[in-house]
Amino acid sequence: FNTDEYSWNYLKITYKGGKLPLEALLEDSQLTSILRKRVHRLIYQDYLHIGENLIKKSRLEISRYLISEYCKEVMSIDDFWVLYHDFITEHGLGENERIKYPLRTMENAISDYDIVAWQYGRKFRYYPMAIYDFEAFFERIQWNQYHDVELSTYRIFCDYPEVMVEYDIQNEYELHNIIKKLPVELIGEQVRVTNMPYLAFGECDRAMQTIELLLELAPISREDLAEVFEKKYGHRRDTVLGYFSN
């Protein structure tokens, strides 16, 4: 602290030779204004001061701050990468290799953030998951009704439009991404979150689902079968037509 002997002895005795965290010093009313400024500078030397925000100089904290401030509407990951690097350059961190963010690394990390709803086409928006009660959400969409079936989240999204509006979920891709981030204790050990936007409940087989539906409805055209499959399982009909190649 480069201070006088009296102040040094006070700090040494009161804060047990530095064993207490620096933050504890700021709560001491006996601290002089000079020492208080030095403590504050030491504590926050690795932070950016943006308005009333203190942002740690790290990829995680900077990207989370930018998402909460600038991604209320849908943004592509490419545009966000530019926004991020413009920001760190503006604040003198553009040459810091620990702060620079390779695009692919950023994409993989951000898609898992609990403040992001990820969409098809490498796009996302700010979505603060922590403010929503997803235990109640699963009760309202009757989550336990699904057994031994592969579904697209499009089916669930279409079946419960009012719930989706209340939870601000805009499409089946966001729904899939949100479910993927929830704890297994909530979604159930029998549920596998597979490739977007599909969910596998228990023992299921997409090919068998297709064949069983075909046997039930034949004779039927490919297009009509795809339409029924979409209504029953949520798989988009254009995608379903590709399942019938064999």
Side-chain angles (χ1 to χ4, degrees):
F1 279 86
N2 192 27
T3 188
D4 60 85
E5 185 177 0
Y6 176 83
S7 298
W8 163 251
N9 286 327
Y10 175 79
L11 292 171
K12 185 177 179 181
I13 295 170
T14 307
Y15 297 101
K16 302 178 182 178
K19 292 180 180 179
L20 292 181
L22 280 173
E23 287 79 0
L25 291 169
L26 295 179
E27 300 173 5
D28 188 346
S29 61
Q30 302 300 315
L31 217 61
T32 66
S33 60
I34 294 175
L35 283 178
R36 188 175 299 278
K37 288 179 181 179
R38 290 176 181 171
V39 171
H40 193 278
R41 186 165 58 248
L42 280 169
I43 292 173
Y44 297 112
Q45 62 184 335
D46 291 328
Y47 286 77
L48 292 173
H49 298 248
I50 310 294
E52 297 182 355
N53 298 295
L54 284 168
I55 307 154
K56 191 172 180 61
K57 297 175 184 177
S58 71
R59 292 175 177 177
L60 173 65
E61 296 303 325
I62 293 173
S63 59
R64 289 178 69 92
Y65 165 75
L66 292 175
I67 288 167
S68 65
E69 288 292 316
Y70 300 104
C71 299
K72 303 293 176 58
E73 302 296 328
V74 176
M75 179 178 286
S76 73
I77 189 65
D78 297 291
D79 288 343
F80 183 77
W81 185 88
V82 173
L83 172 68
Y84 176 92
H85 284 88
D86 285 348
F87 178 86
I88 64 172
T89 299
E90 178 184 349
H91 291 89
L93 301 172
E95 300 305 315
N96 189 327
E97 295 298 328
R98 294 185 300 105
I99 305 297
K100 289 181 180 179
Y101 222 157
L103 178 58
R104 182 58 63 183
T105 305
M106 171 186 279
E107 183 174 345
N108 292 336
I110 286 178
S111 65
D112 287 333
Y113 284 3
D114 61 356
I115 58 167
V116 158
W118 193 262
Q119 299 190 10
Y120 180 76
R122 302 171 64 240
K123 297 178 180 179
F124 68 95
R125 67 184 176 95
Y126 175 62
Y127 185 85
M129 288 180 59
I131 71 173
Y132 295 101
D133 181 355
F134 281 100
E135 185 173 355
F137 174 83
F138 283 130
E139 290 178 1
R140 293 181 61 185
I141 66 172
Q142 303 178 61
W143 185 250
N144 292 329
Q145 68 180 295
Y146 306 114
H147 302 282
D148 298 332
V149 64
E150 183 195 63
L151 291 179
S152 167
T153 45
Y154 182 63
R155 161 73 189 274
I156 302 171
F157 180 81
C158 292
D159 283 352
Y160 300 95
E162 292 182 0
V163 179
M164 300 303 149
V165 170
E166 184 175 330
Y167 280 76
D168 189 28
I169 299 173
Q170 295 184 355
N171 53 55
E172 69 266 33
Y173 303 107
E174 288 192 351
L175 177 57
H176 183 276
N177 184 244
I178 290 165
I179 292 173
K180 181 180 179 181
K181 296 169 186 173
L182 294 171
V184 66
E185 294 81 9
L186 195 55
I187 67 172
E189 293 183 358
Q190 81 284 3
V191 181
R192 288 178 288 116
V193 183
T194 58
N195 292 339
M196 185 181 281
Y198 303 116
L199 304 171
F201 295 83
E203 298 295 326
C204 57
D205 185 317
R206 181 187 300 176
M208 286 306 302
Q209 287 177 197
T210 308
I211 292 169
E212 288 171 359
L213 197 60
L214 174 61
L215 292 173
E216 178 185 342
L217 300 173
I220 187 172
S221 70
R222 288 164 52 89
E223 290 73 19
D224 289 344
L225 182 59
E227 182 176 352
V228 174
F229 199 97
E230 180 182 291
K231 290 179 180 178
K232 187 175 180 67
Y233 300 116
H235 299 225
R236 298 275 192 170
R237 66 193 69 184
D238 291 341
T239 304
V240 174
L241 287 170
Y243 301 163
F244 303 157
S245 59
N246 61 352

